Amino acid sequence: MLQVPFIRENKALVVERLAKRNIDATQMINDVVALDEDRRRIQTELDNTLAESNVLSKEIGNLYKSGEAQKANLLKEKTTQLKDASKELNEALNSKVEALTELLYKIPNVPNELVPQGNSELDNEEIFKAGDIPKLHDGALPHWELAKKYDIIDFELGNKITGAGFPVYKGKGARLQRSLIAYFLDKNTAAGYTEYQLPLMVNEASGIGTGQLPDKEGQMYHVTEDNLYLIPTAEVPGTNIFRDVLLNESELPIGITGYTPCFRREAGSYGAHVRGLNRLHQFDKVEIIRVEHPSKSYEALDGMINHVEAILKELKLPYRILRLCGGDTSFASALTYDFEVFSTAQDRWLEISSISNFETFQANRLKLRFKNSEGKNELAHTLNGSSLALPRVLAGILENYQTEDGIVIPEVLQPYTGFKIIN
């Protein structure tokens, strides 16, 4: 969440930047400042009351020691009054802090100055495009038909076992999926990321820490009896490793990676744009997460973009990079770049990665700090990105690498799959 001192000192800037998200935050920001003023006033009054009570307590003790019990008893009545006042002030303070925190949870991150104005994905800026779009043979098929033709993914069986959006991978399809996971992890660890195997369920505090709660509870599967949530991305458990942690500046930067299944209760819709692997409720993803010094986080963001780009170049998939507009930037992000691969059989771009800098937004919720060179505690910056999300990468490979004789496996994956073609 945003830091109150930053809001207080930059009211106009915060309102102006949040307008990029198509939000008029004027009232919310004014309410934050007013609540904080009340909180500080009550805190000062409480501190003064407690200080006066402490002074009187010492004075009462001295009076008893000197045999002046009558004067001491008179002062004790005053301390009783001060204790009652302290209790009321403490309750009022907690009420203000709770109201302030609840309001702050509703305010999204302030977009970076590079974020363009816009309402939806249609307003995102294409900043780079690379790779040749292959010319497919006559009769080329979309991936869901290829999956059926070669018996590598069974969508109907997944629907029978669980429901729509839970596919079953079979034979060479399962092996290709596993190969992609291993390849992505190997690329990430070679780049210096430490591999973690993470829990697939998190508690409420973890969801709040990364900004999924209370913003995205409708998209998360909730295990109500235990109040746990199935993870929508490895970002949540991975970033929460650092919740309530105070690092030394010398420990920065930190980079971790992990593979997890991901679960999302996205609203159902129909049509080719959500068929097959295009939109799932359960899917596999490899994530990269960074904890950075604030002065280095945008340099790190560029490095993450270059890293994902290198993977796509090795896979020889046509791709483009988009800078997301304010209306399409996630609640917690300050700046996000999306990677998309071109699906030749569907004649459309498919999102495969989002890489974001959250600046201090998540760190403030997480209480993730480091001790800087001056010995003061400072909030770190957090970043994460998909490296990569598998369903649409797999869809891109199936469609772009299809031939009349079968689906050729990208050369870089062949040592992992053990086969060169699906036929």
Side-chain angles (χ1 to χ4, degrees):
M1 58 189 171
L2 298 177
Q3 299 177 71
V4 174
F6 176 78
I7 293 175
R8 201 169 53 235
E9 295 163 16
N10 301 276
K11 281 177 59 178
L13 175 65
V14 172
V15 171
E16 177 188 339
R17 291 280 181 85
L18 287 175
K20 287 188 174 186
R21 295 181 177 273
N22 309 305
I23 296 171
D24 182 358
T26 306
Q27 187 60 54
M28 284 195 298
I29 298 306
N30 286 338
D31 289 346
V32 166
V33 173
L35 281 168
D36 186 53
E37 287 175 353
D38 287 345
R39 179 196 63 79
R40 289 192 293 165
R41 174 183 54 78
I42 295 169
Q43 183 70 67
T44 300
E45 193 174 345
L46 176 60
D47 290 344
N48 291 338
T49 302
L50 292 172
E52 185 180 355
S53 180
N54 288 336
V55 169
L56 284 177
S57 294
K58 290 180 182 178
E59 189 175 346
I60 289 167
N62 291 332
L63 285 171
Y64 276 125
K65 286 179 183 178
S66 61
E68 299 181 83
Q70 189 173 358
K71 288 184 179 180
N73 290 334
L74 288 173
L75 288 180
K76 281 183 72 176
E77 294 179 12
K78 176 65 173 175
T79 60
T80 300
Q81 294 172 3
L82 290 172
K83 285 180 181 178
D84 290 341
S86 297
K87 183 180 178 182
E88 291 179 7
L89 287 168
N90 197 55
E91 289 174 354
L93 179 63
N94 289 338
S95 177
K96 291 295 180 184
V97 169
E98 187 177 329
L100 179 58
T101 302
E102 188 176 329
L103 180 56
L104 287 169
Y105 280 155
K106 296 177 181 177
I107 302 173
N109 201 356
V110 173
N112 182 276
E113 61 184 357
L114 293 175
V115 174
Q117 186 78 39
N119 298 318
S120 70
E121 60 185 21
L122 299 175
D123 301 311
N124 294 335
E125 289 182 354
E126 181 181 291
I127 62 170
F128 189 75
K129 184 188 290 186
D132 297 325
I133 296 174
K135 293 182 179 178
L136 300 181
H137 61 278
D138 290 339
L141 301 172
H143 70 268
W144 54 86
E145 293 187 23
L146 290 168
K148 188 171 185 178
K149 177 179 178 180
Y150 295 109
D151 195 26
I152 54 175
I153 307 172
D154 195 325
F155 295 101
E156 289 77 14
L157 183 56
N159 192 29
K160 170 188 172 182
I161 296 169
T162 308
F166 296 87
V168 174
Y169 299 85
K170 302 166 60 178
K172 287 186 174 181
R175 183 62 179 261
L176 178 56
Q177 180 89 336
R178 178 158 57 92
S179 299
L180 280 165
I181 293 166
Y183 166 64
F184 292 153
L185 286 171
D186 284 351
K187 293 296 291 184
N188 295 345
T189 54
Y193 292 90
T194 301
E195 183 177 349
Y196 279 71
Q197 190 169 18
L198 298 160
L200 303 185
M201 291 192 288
V202 294
N203 55 33
E204 188 174 31
S206 292
I208 290 171
T210 45
Q212 274 68 30
L213 299 175
D215 179 54
K216 294 184 175 67
E217 59 265 65
Q219 295 180 20
M220 297 175 73
Y221 287 97
H222 187 195
V223 183
T224 54
E225 186 172 343
D226 301 297
N227 197 27
L228 297 174
Y229 294 84
L230 288 171
I231 62 169
T233 165
E235 167 200 346
V236 183
T239 310
N240 271 277
I241 290 170
F242 307 101
R243 175 155 47 94
D244 298 320
V245 169
L246 176 61
L247 300 165
N248 291 316
E249 189 170 11
S250 60
E251 295 179 82
L252 299 176
I254 297 172
I256 72 170
T257 185
Y259 151 69
T260 64
C262 304
F263 306 88
R264 297 187 186 177
R265 294 180 64 249
E266 297 184 82
S269 56
Y270 301 92
H273 68 291
V274 296
R275 286 193 66 179
L277 299 172
N278 288 348
R279 183 173 296 174
L280 301 174
H281 292 303
Q282 178 183 324
F283 60 95
D284 292 325
K285 184 154 70 82
V286 176
E287 194 82 359
I288 50 176
I289 297 165
R290 299 192 68 83
V291 180
E292 289 281 345
H293 190 286
S295 66
K296 301 286 183 63
S297 69
Y298 278 95
E299 180 183 337
L301 182 67
D302 290 340
M304 294 168 76
I305 291 168
N306 293 337
H307 175 68
V308 171
E309 195 171 3
I311 293 174
L312 290 172
K313 285 179 178 177
E314 285 193 354
L315 289 172
K316 297 181 180 178
L317 289 170
Y319 68 92
R320 67 176 183 174
I321 305 173
L322 305 175
R323 182 186 292 127
L324 299 196
C325 71
D328 202 31
T329 299
S330 73
F331 182 87
S333 174
L335 179 63
T336 297
Y337 290 92
D338 271 7
F339 278 80
E340 297 181 340
V341 296
F342 191 75
S343 164
T344 308
Q346 297 180 68
D347 192 28
R348 60 188 291 258
W349 292 96
L350 304 174
E351 180 199 330
I352 55 162
S353 175
S354 288
I355 302 174
S356 301
N357 188 344
F358 302 96
E359 298 184 355
T360 61
F361 191 84
Q362 289 182 331
N364 193 27
R365 290 174 171 231
L366 295 162
K367 295 183 174 59
L368 165 54
R369 299 158 297 157
F370 68 95
K371 194 169 289 293
N372 64 23
S373 56
E374 298 175 354
K376 296 179 179 177
N377 294 344
E378 185 177 347
L379 290 173
H381 279 196
T382 61
L383 305 90
N384 69 51
S386 312
S387 182
L388 289 158
L390 273 81
R392 293 170 183 170
V393 172
L394 184 58
I397 289 172
L398 297 179
E399 294 183 6
N400 289 320
Y401 276 86
Q402 65 177 301
T403 69
E404 291 181 289
D405 299 320
I407 302 163
V408 176
I409 301 300
E411 186 176 351
V412 73
L413 291 177
Q414 291 176 15
Y416 292 89
T417 59
F419 54 84
K420 298 182 178 180
I421 193 168
I422 297 174
N423 55 18

